Amino acid sequence: MPSIDIAGSTFNYRFDGPSGASVLVLSNSLGTDLTMWEPQMPAFTRHFRVLRYDTRGHGASAATPGPYRIAQLGADVLALLDALGLDRVHFCGLSMGGMIGQWLGVNAGARLGRLVLCNTAALIGPAELWDKRIAAVEAGGMAAITDGVIARWFTDAFVAGHPEAVAPVRAVLEATDPAGYTAACAAVRDMDQRAAVAAITVPTLVIAGTHDLATPPADGRFLAGAIPGARYLELPAAHLSNIEDADAFTAGVLDFLAA
Ligand SMILES: O=C(O)CC1=CCC(=O)O1
């Protein structure tokens, strides 16, 4: 997969889909990488040229020293778009990717066609939870938090019934660079976009998961209420709703992007 040196670091990215089509950028959640979007790729690439990338500190992108900031991760996206000659794109991000999407909507709306904010929040607390998670990883590596995080990402029923879907996500989490992961935890911990998101004028879809313990539906409803004209879609899933309820997620995003 290609890598690119921008914003003082090296990023892994890939394009899929027809070269003449509109570009849809997909942004991963904390502790995952661009492979988290595999369930969407067959359908998304029928309509869009899909640009996936690994967020700083994740996957095959470099883990520069932290702590990171959501504004920094948003600026990384703008640097990637500039380097690839992309003036205007649709953007879909889940959780941390949705926090980056909020920042882009507020600070670089002219670069966006449509915005999809999935299983995310304008503020995700409490800070002590993130401090504890960072301390646990610093002391014991990714293995110290894997089981607890997987339990937040999927319902028990999905974990029991779909081991083939959960295993690759767990493997990516376990392989994530602990320094990149904790640096990104700090970005998530320190973010508060509650007041800023009212300035988003890009057509926006907010997706939430009924069983999401990390960013509950109340967080999605807050965003949908605060962003003028935003649509709201709630799926019967936990945090990684694009995997747990993949078909409904894919259909919901495509329906919105085609509107
Ligand atoms: O990892 C979690 O617990 C949930 C989460 C918060 C931000 C993100 O991207 O995932």
Side-chain angles (χ1 to χ4, degrees):
M1 274 187 272
S3 67
I4 190 165
D5 292 334
I6 48 161
S9 190
T10 304
F11 289 81
N12 180 49
Y13 73 96
R14 65 177 285 172
F15 279 111
D16 295 279
S19 54
S22 305
V23 174
L24 169 62
V25 178
L26 302 179
S27 182
N28 63 278
S29 62
L30 184 67
T32 68
D33 66 8
L34 57 73
T35 62
M36 71 168 280
W37 299 108
E38 286 304 327
Q40 279 67 52
M41 291 308 289
F44 281 4
T45 54
R46 277 199 288 277
H47 303 270
F48 296 100
R49 182 148 173 80
V50 178
L51 170 60
R52 291 182 285 171
Y53 74 103
D54 292 334
T55 298
R56 183 183 288 262
H58 286 69
S61 290
T64 55
Y68 305 156
R69 309 280 302 171
I70 291 297
Q72 175 186 19
L73 304 181
D76 288 344
V77 175
L78 294 178
L80 182 62
L81 298 186
D82 290 345
L84 297 174
L86 299 170
D87 186 39
R88 200 171 159 88
V89 298
H90 299 307
F91 186 93
C92 173
L94 192 141
S95 198
M96 178 176 67
M99 297 168 197
I100 295 168
Q102 292 168 52
W103 186 90
L104 290 168
V106 172
N107 295 283
R111 304 295 295 271
L112 303 180
R114 287 180 173 246
L115 177 61
V116 187
L117 306 174
C118 319
N119 299 83
T120 192
L123 172 75
I124 181 166
E128 300 74 40
L129 179 148
W130 294 103
D131 290 340
K132 270 191 199 157
R133 197 186 289 194
I134 290 168
V137 172
E138 285 173 348
M142 297 305 291
I145 54 119
T146 302
D147 287 343
V149 169
I150 292 288
R152 281 160 68 89
W153 283 358
F154 302 109
T155 61
D156 291 346
F158 188 79
V159 171
H162 297 274
E164 78 297 341
V166 175
V169 183
R170 171 184 279 273
V172 170
L173 177 63
E174 287 171 341
T176 300
D177 185 317
Y181 182 80
T182 54
C185 284
V188 168
R189 176 196 63 199
D190 297 340
M191 172 208 64
D192 184 354
Q193 304 193 86
R194 285 175 297 175
V197 292
I200 295 177
T201 57
V202 181
T204 300
L205 170 66
V206 177
I207 298 179
T210 304
H211 310 296
D212 186 349
L213 301 177
T215 51
D219 291 332
R221 284 195 293 267
F222 173 85
L223 282 168
I227 299 169
R231 285 198 207 172
Y232 178 75
L233 172 65
E234 190 170 316
L235 300 174
H239 193 56
L240 297 192
S241 68
N242 75 303
I243 296 173
E244 183 156 349
D245 197 8
D247 290 349
F249 181 101
T250 304
V253 172
L254 286 177
D255 179 57
F256 171 70
L257 293 178

